[in-house]
Amino acid sequence: MKVIIIFGPPGSGKGTQAKLLAKQLNLIHFSTGEELRKEANKKTKLGKQINSLISQGNLVPDELSTQITQNFIFSNKKKNILLDGFPRTLKQAENLLTFFKKIGCDKILVINLKVSKKELINRILERAKIEHRKDDNKKTIKQRLKVYHNQTKPIIKFLRRNKIKIFNFNGKGNIEEIQKEITKKIKFD
Ligand code: ADP
């Protein structure tokens, strides 16, 4: 099994690029955030808890996101996968590498999308007009960016220390052009 991890702050275009890339490279796209939103829409106790965390711009507990992501990977382990939104904490990254060793994943590549803070806020506010996500408002965006900075960004160094290849891309600009830049560099065979 081979895996691409798409990494970047909220609003960097991870989801958009992930969908295009999955088609081009024949990978199965898994968005941890989308999966959690499905769960959050259920009127169960767990659904309500997830909903409250997401609406405030906080992460759900590592155990939960790890479990749903690993379940997905495990049931698709004969295919190649594109992870979008996982890992998001150092603990999740550690769990993931241990899990990959266990199931015999032989190639991991990371796409790191970089976008300035000002641009991120503008994009998310634009998206809010179309998608009506509960976490796309000014107050929650600030918290999401803070969480990204404190909990998610340090993963890059951790992955590098573990000899995983990171490819940096400028996430500002035209969707198709960014896509071209990515596919020029990412060879996945
Ligand atoms: P964005 O990257 O724009 O924030 P996502 O759809 O990836 O959008 O994530 C939305 C929300 O879902 C996050 O703010 C967080 O609350 C939750 N979430 C997504 N992935 C994880 C994860 N790996 N661990 C914990 N919470 C997560």
Side-chain angles (χ1 to χ4, degrees):
M1 182 183 69
K2 294 169 186 159
V3 173
I4 291 185
I5 297 171
I6 190 154
F7 196 88
S12 58
K14 287 190 307 286
T16 308
Q17 292 299 334
K19 284 190 187 96
L20 295 168
L21 205 61
K23 249 194 212 159
Q24 281 213 345
L25 300 182
N26 201 19
L27 309 165
I28 313 185
H29 174 207
F30 185 73
S31 160
T32 306
E34 259 172 44
E35 223 36 53
L36 288 169
R37 276 191 288 282
K38 274 187 215 157
E39 208 51 54
N41 283 333
K42 296 181 186 162
K43 297 288 164 241
T44 57
K45 193 171 164 219
L46 180 66
K48 284 180 191 157
Q49 283 167 351
I50 297 175
N51 188 38
S52 152
L53 288 165
I54 292 184
S55 310
Q56 289 169 54
N58 291 317
L59 300 179
V60 309
D62 285 335
E63 296 71 33
L64 179 64
S65 52
T66 297
Q67 199 191 0
I68 64 162
T69 308
Q70 290 187 353
N71 282 348
F72 178 85
I73 298 171
F74 194 74
S75 49
N76 289 283
K77 65 178 191 285
K78 299 224 164 63
K79 301 171 189 148
N80 295 329
I81 296 177
L82 177 58
L83 290 182
D84 161 10
F86 194 92
R88 257 178 143 108
T89 65
L90 277 175
K91 184 78 200 137
Q92 292 177 19
E94 286 165 9
N95 290 343
L96 190 66
L97 294 195
T98 309
F99 183 67
F100 280 156
K101 267 192 202 128
K102 208 165 82 186
I103 64 167
C105 169
D106 52 12
K107 190 165 184 181
I108 307 167
L109 299 180
V110 177
I111 293 172
N112 185 24
L113 293 176
K114 297 188 159 202
V115 180
S116 74
K117 191 172 165 191
K118 196 170 156 222
E119 169 87 7
L120 292 172
I121 296 175
N122 287 341
R123 281 190 188 178
I124 298 178
L125 291 177
E126 278 308 306
R127 178 170 78 188
K129 295 180 194 158
I130 310 162
E131 286 187 22
H132 309 294
R133 263 172 58 169
K134 286 193 188 113
D135 55 349
D136 282 351
N137 57 69
K138 239 183 190 158
K139 190 165 165 236
T140 309
I141 296 167
K142 285 215 170 112
Q143 176 61 11
R144 284 159 67 199
L145 291 175
K146 205 160 113 191
V147 168
Y148 173 79
H149 197 79
N150 295 335
Q151 301 194 57
T152 309
K153 215 172 159 204
I155 295 175
I156 288 288
K157 277 194 184 143
F158 166 82
L159 294 175
R160 264 205 202 103
R161 275 204 305 276
N162 281 279
K163 311 265 179 293
I164 291 176
K165 237 181 157 178
I166 319 274
F167 294 84
N168 292 321
F169 294 95
N170 180 359
K172 187 169 192 250
N174 174 289
I175 293 174
E176 284 73 31
E177 268 160 27
I178 298 168
Q179 178 69 19
K180 266 193 210 148
E181 286 302 311
I182 295 178
T183 46
K184 238 196 274 170
K185 281 209 189 152
I186 301 283
K187 298 286 173 246
F188 204 58
D189 38 38

